[in-house]
Amino acid sequence: MVRLAAVFVTIAILCGSSSSPAPAKDKNITVFAAASMKNALDDVDAAYAAKTGIKVIASYAASSVLAKQIEQGAPADVFISADTDWMDYAIDKKAVNAATRVNLLGNSLVLIAPKDSGINQVTIGPGFDLAKLAGSGRIATGDVSAVPVGKYARAALEKLGAWQAAESKFAMAESVRAALTLVARGEAALGIVYATDARIEPGVKVIGTFPADSHPPIIYPVAATTTAKPEALSYLSFLRSSAAKAIFERFGFSFLVSPTT
């Protein structure tokens, strides 16, 4: 009888364990984030997973591409854009929960050249002749009609009076990281990217920084989608934490909110 009772206890334990909630380590969320965030956000996501046991599946691309994918029903829980326009777009399309939106990070715009280029430091200001500087080479940046870095680049060059002469020399890339790669490989003589991108690519050097007032502020808003899992709110909270702030700043981003503990 004792043995039979033990068997029943064992069966009860097994049945109980099979119906218990899945541990946190089996949970995950999907984050759609601007391509320029990859290195920093990978580290942030690893820290979040270590703390909560929730895995973050990140998909990186141009903000324009991601916003439209979310609009079309892609299974994302969180959207991080490299500009406010595409976040506004996603909110207007009822794809993102406006109440969860936070303007999280800032960045700056820089001019880069291949590491072994003979072009060195230049001063970027009114009358800056980018076309002359590029010579017969190409200038890489994101698509100026859609990709945030390209939009910032065009705005800056128009304000500085350099766009019209340089427009024909531009090689429009699908994302800021694609533009960065073109310059690193020497396939473009110059590139306009974010300071954080130039910082992680050893194949390029920064030869100038665009004045902050030459283009709209570079702001990275973050929000949960309208179909987000409950865990998304925990993730958004972690993005505002002191731990996340330290990681983002290590990669060169500016932190635009007061960090939580």
Side-chain angles (χ1 to χ4, degrees), residues 10-254:
T10 301
I11 292 173
I13 292 172
L14 290 174
C15 290
S17 64
S18 64
S19 61
S20 62
K25 68 180 180 181
D26 292 333
K27 295 181 180 180
N28 63 73
I29 59 170
T30 300
V31 176
F32 278 20
S36 54
M37 299 194 67
K38 176 172 173 46
N39 300 73
L41 197 63
D42 280 350
D43 281 9
V44 169
D45 291 349
Y48 174 74
K51 179 179 179 180
T52 65
I54 299 171
K55 180 182 178 181
V56 181
I57 301 167
S59 179
Y60 299 102
S63 302
S64 52
V65 172
L66 298 174
K68 291 178 180 179
Q69 288 179 345
I70 294 170
E71 176 194 1
Q72 292 164 7
D77 298 296
V78 173
F79 176 41
I80 311 178
S81 175
D83 72 356
T84 56
D85 289 348
W86 285 111
M87 182 62 76
D88 291 342
Y89 175 91
I91 289 173
D92 289 344
K93 297 298 182 179
K94 311 300 183 186
V96 163
N97 184 348
T100 64
R101 175 179 178 166
V102 173
N103 289 338
L104 185 69
L105 304 171
N107 213 331
S108 56
L109 197 66
V110 298
L111 182 66
I112 60 172
K115 193 71 173 180
D116 58 358
S117 171
I119 303 174
N120 294 307
Q121 289 295 312
V122 297
T123 300
I124 301 176
F128 173 59
D129 195 342
L130 180 61
K132 181 179 179 180
L133 187 66
S136 60
R138 306 288 282 173
I139 307 164
T141 194
D143 183 343
V144 300
S145 65
V147 179
V149 71
K151 292 164 62 183
Y152 291 126
R154 178 170 183 167
L157 294 172
E158 285 182 337
K159 184 163 185 178
L160 299 172
W163 171 251
Q164 188 171 358
E167 181 179 2
S168 63
K169 295 180 180 292
F170 270 86
M172 307 295 183
E174 63 184 13
S175 71
V176 67
R177 287 297 172 93
L180 182 70
T181 298
L182 288 174
V183 181
R185 291 177 177 173
E187 296 173 22
L190 299 170
I192 301 176
V193 300
Y194 302 120
T196 52
D197 294 297
R199 190 167 179 159
I200 58 90
E201 174 51 70
V204 306
K205 61 182 178 181
V206 175
I207 60 172
T209 300
F210 286 85
D213 62 0
S214 68
H215 54 78
I218 299 173
I219 295 173
Y220 290 70
V222 56
T225 65
T226 52
T227 58
K229 297 173 185 173
E231 291 81 11
L233 296 181
S234 161
Y235 179 76
L236 292 179
S237 178
F238 185 77
L239 290 180
R240 300 184 60 173
S241 69
S242 297
K245 176 178 184 289
I247 295 171
F248 283 127
E249 289 182 340
R250 175 160 53 85
F251 282 88
F253 289 95
S254 54

